[in-house]
C-alpha cells in the first residue's frame, strides 16, 4: 500500500511539472478589418441646374433694363430614382385668343373708306424690311409712308390700294417710313411695286390711295422685342388685317394701355403686364384678346384670331 501511494504521488508531480501546449497564433488571433481601405460606393450624382434660359430671362440690352432676373431654383441633391417610369413632359403654354367686343374708333390721319391724293416715288427696298421692323420678306410689294401720315408707326402693317392716273393699280403693305421732304399723301413705293404702275424713269407719279382690309389673311402674331424680360418689354403685332390703334396688357390693376414707338413696338418700361394677357384694338374699334403668349424675345408667336374684314 505504501508503495502504491508513493507511486501515485510521483505521477502527480511529473504531470504538474510538464510544460503546457504551444499556442497557434494564426488560429487564435482575430484580425479586425482596417477601417477605410475598402472603396466607397460611388455617390449619386447631383442634378445639375438646367442650362436652358428661362422664359423672359434674356439679358437686358440697355442701362434702363438692369433689373436682375429672379434667381433660379437650387439644384436638387436627390439621388436618381431607380424606377423606370418616365415623368410626363410639361405641356407648352396654350395660346388662346378671343374677340372681346368693340371700342369706339379713334381718329387718326388715315381713315377707312377714304381716298387720298398724293404722289408716288420709288426706293430700293432691299429685303423688304424697314422702320416698322417686321423683318425681311420675300414679298416686295411694300411701301414707305410719309412721316406725317406714318403717325408714330400707326400706319405700319396697313394694306393700301394705290391707283395711278393711267388706270394701273397695285396693293402694297406699309413697312417703312419716308422722312421729310416726303409730303403728306406721298408714298415711296419699292421699285418692284412702282414698276407695276409705270416705268421707273417717270420718277414721280400722281396717285390716289386708300386703306384695304384683305379678305384672305391668316391669324395675326405677337412678337416680344429682343431684350424683353419680366422687368421691361416691347410688344409688336404682326400680320394684322387692319391697322392697329392700341395695345393693352393686363396688370394687377386692370388693363393698361402701352405707349407706341416710332419703330412699331408698344413698350412697358417697368415690366408691368409683360408675359400676361394682351388686348389689341384696330382702327375700327374691334378688340381681340390673346392669352398664353410666352415671353420669348424675337419670336413671332401665332395666335388664333384676326380682325374682321371691313
Amino acid at each position: 500500500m505504501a508503495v502504491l501511494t508513493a507511486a501515485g504521488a510521483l505521477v502527480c508531480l511529473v504531470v504538474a511539472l510538464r510544460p503546457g501546449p504551444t499556442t497557434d497564433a494564426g488560429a487564435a488571433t482575430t484580425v479586425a478589418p482596417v477601417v477605410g481601405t475598402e472603396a466607397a460606393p460611388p455617390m449619386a450624382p447631383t442634378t445639375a441646374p438646367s442650362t436652358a434660359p428661362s422664359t423672359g430671362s434674356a439679358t437686358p440690352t440697355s442701362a434702363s433694363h438692369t433689373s436682375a432676373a429672379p434667381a433660379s431654383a437650387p439644384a436638387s441633391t436627390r439621388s436618381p430614382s431607380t424606377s423606370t417610369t418616365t415623368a410626363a413632359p410639361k405641356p407648352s403654354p396654350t395660346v388662346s385668343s378671343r374677340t372681346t367686343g368693340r371700342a369706339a374708333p379713334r381718329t387718326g390721319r388715315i381713315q377707312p373708306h377714304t381716298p387720298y391724293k398724293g404722289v408716288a416715288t420709288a426706293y430700293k427696298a432691299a429685303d423688304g424690311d424697314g422702320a416698322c421692323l417686321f423683318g425681311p420678306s420675300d414679298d416686295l410689294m411694300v411701301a414707305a409712308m410719309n412721316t406725317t401720315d406714318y403717325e408714330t408707326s400707326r400706319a405700319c402693317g396697313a394694306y393700301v390700294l394705290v391707283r395711278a392716273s393711267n388706270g394701273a393699280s397695285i396693293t402694297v403693305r406699309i413697312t417703312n417710313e419716308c422722312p421729310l421732304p416726303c409730303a403728306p399723301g406721298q408714298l415711296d413705293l419699292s421699285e418692284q411695286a412702282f414698276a407695276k404702275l409705270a416705268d421707273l424713269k417717270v420718277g414721280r407719279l400722281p396717285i390716289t390711295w386708300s386703306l384695304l382690309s384683305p379678305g384672305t389673311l391668316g391669324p395675326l402674331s405677337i412678337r416680344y422685342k429682343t431684350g424683353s424680360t419680366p422687368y421691361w418689354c416691347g410688344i409688336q403685332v404682326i400680320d394684322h388685317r387692319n391697322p392697329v390703334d392700341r395695345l393693352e396688357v393686363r396688370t394687377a390693376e386692370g388693363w393698361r394701355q402701352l405707349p407706341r414707338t416710332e419703330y412699331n413696338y408698344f413698350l412697358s418700361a417697368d415690366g408691368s403686364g409683360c408675359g400676361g394677357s394682351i388686348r389689341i384694338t384696330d382702327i375700327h374699334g374691334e378688340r381681340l384678346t390673346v392669352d398664353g403668349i410666352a415671353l420669348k424675345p424675337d419670336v413671332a408667336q401665332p395666335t388664333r384670331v384676326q380682325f374682321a374684314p371691313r
Side-chain angles (χ1 to χ4, degrees):
M1 177 64 68
V3 174
L4 294 175
T5 301
L10 181 60
V11 171
C12 291
L13 180 61
V14 173
V15 171
L17 294 176
R18 182 181 177 182
T22 303
T23 302
D24 185 352
T29 304
T30 301
V31 181
V34 179
V35 177
T37 58
E38 183 179 359
M43 294 181 62
T46 300
T47 303
S50 171
T51 57
S54 60
T55 302
S57 61
T59 304
T61 57
S62 72
S64 63
H65 310 162
T66 54
S67 298
S72 57
S76 170
T77 56
R78 291 181 58 187
S79 301
S81 172
T82 57
S83 172
T84 58
T85 303
T86 302
K90 185 178 180 180
S92 58
T94 300
V95 176
S96 61
S97 313
R98 60 187 183 276
T99 301
T100 56
R102 296 183 59 80
R106 300 212 292 190
T107 302
R109 284 190 57 84
I110 305 174
Q111 292 297 306
H113 315 298
T114 304
Y116 296 89
K117 290 183 178 182
V119 62
T121 50
Y123 77 106
K124 295 183 182 296
D127 60 4
D129 200 4
C132 296
L133 296 187
F134 288 128
S137 173
D138 294 332
D139 182 5
L140 294 182
M141 294 299 106
V142 296
M145 180 66 74
N146 66 85
T147 295
T148 304
D149 294 325
Y150 185 76
E151 285 192 287
T152 315
S153 77
R154 190 173 187 261
C156 283
Y159 289 89
V160 176
L161 175 63
V162 185
R163 287 189 172 92
S165 55
N166 60 12
S169 64
I170 182 68
T171 298
V172 294
R173 187 167 70 109
I174 304 301
T175 62
N176 211 343
E177 177 183 9
C178 183
L180 295 173
C182 274
Q186 183 173 345
L187 292 177
D188 205 19
L189 306 178
S190 69
E191 290 183 338
Q192 292 83 349
F194 190 100
K196 291 185 177 296
L197 299 178
D199 193 299
L200 289 172
K201 295 178 181 178
V202 172
R204 297 174 66 86
L205 182 68
I207 57 170
T208 58
W209 56 271
S210 58
L211 288 178
L212 274 185
S213 184
T216 56
L217 205 63
L220 58 80
S221 298
I222 299 293
R223 178 163 56 200
Y224 277 98
K225 195 177 188 308
T226 301
S228 291
T229 72
Y231 309 99
W232 176 95
C233 70
I235 305 174
Q236 182 185 55
V237 186
I238 308 171
D239 294 331
H240 42 90
R241 174 177 278 120
N242 306 319
V244 172
D245 176 65
R246 54 192 178 273
L247 184 145
E248 302 162 278
V249 291
R250 186 184 290 280
T251 70
E253 291 75 31
W255 289 106
R256 174 189 177 188
Q257 182 177 339
L258 299 185
R260 189 173 200 161
T261 68
E262 292 184 353
Y263 51 88
N264 196 33
Y265 275 86
F266 297 85
L267 296 187
S268 176
D270 59 2
S272 179
C274 294
S277 298
I278 299 170
R279 189 164 70 181
I280 313 152
T281 306
D282 71 2
I283 62 172
H284 301 279
E286 183 180 4
R287 284 176 174 170
L288 305 176
T289 300
V290 181
D291 301 314
I293 294 292
L295 210 167
K296 296 180 180 178
D298 203 27
V299 176
Q301 302 181 63
T303 68
R304 298 175 181 171
V305 290
Q306 180 60 267
F307 293 117
R310 303 290 177 177

